[in-house]
Amino acid sequence: MEKSMAEMQREVDRYISQFKEGYFSPLSMMARMSEEVGELAREVNHQFGEKPKKPDEVDNSIEMELGDILFIAICFANSLGIDLAEAHDKVMLKFNTRDADRWTKINTD
């Protein structure tokens, strides 16, 4: 079953709302986001780069690291009252207008 962004935002909010601490501060979430992006970079480097994993390193996956980044992005948005579906629509409008002729399009004739 496919989830909408609104459903994901509500699901994360239900999860976070069960704890007294609630959402972290924006600065803490930015630090956490940076940490998660670093973990993704490490996994990509192991899988596609020149740095193999050490034998004793935990086997993480790119999928899980992207999931962690999505979770913290949703937490960040929720804490600031941002509707991510609206944000996505605004970004796509920007790309479809500003960058309309920036890239070589695949010939669909």
Side-chain angles (χ1 to χ4, degrees):
M1 181 172 117
E2 191 171 304
K3 292 181 186 178
S4 71
M5 186 57 70
E7 289 169 324
M8 287 189 274
Q9 284 194 255
R10 285 190 296 271
E11 183 178 10
V12 169
D13 193 61
R14 281 191 302 273
Y15 174 76
I16 296 295
S17 294
Q18 68 182 324
F19 304 109
K20 287 181 183 181
E21 294 82 2
Y23 290 103
F24 295 156
S25 71
L27 187 58
S28 291
M29 280 195 270
M30 190 68 237
R32 176 130 185 255
M33 175 80 72
S34 297
E35 181 182 316
E36 295 298 346
V37 170
E39 291 175 14
L40 173 63
R42 185 176 185 86
E43 287 305 311
V44 170
N45 195 22
H46 287 317
Q47 198 164 344
F48 301 105
E50 288 73 38
K51 185 178 180 189
K53 283 190 181 225
K54 296 175 189 171
D56 62 338
E57 274 189 274
V58 177
D59 190 27
N60 292 331
S61 71
I62 291 173
E63 177 185 27
M64 288 301 293
E65 296 306 338
L66 286 169
D68 287 344
I69 291 168
L70 179 59
F71 178 81
I72 193 63
I74 292 171
C75 285
F76 212 153
N78 284 356
S79 75
L80 298 173
I82 294 170
D83 180 323
L84 283 172
E86 280 183 31
H88 170 76
D89 290 344
K90 289 175 184 176
V91 167
M92 290 309 299
L93 178 64
K94 176 182 73 173
F95 286 128
N96 284 317
T97 54
R98 181 192 72 189
D99 296 338
D101 298 316
R102 186 174 190 174
W103 311 106
T104 307
K105 292 192 174 152
I106 297 172
N107 187 356
T108 57
D109 295 334

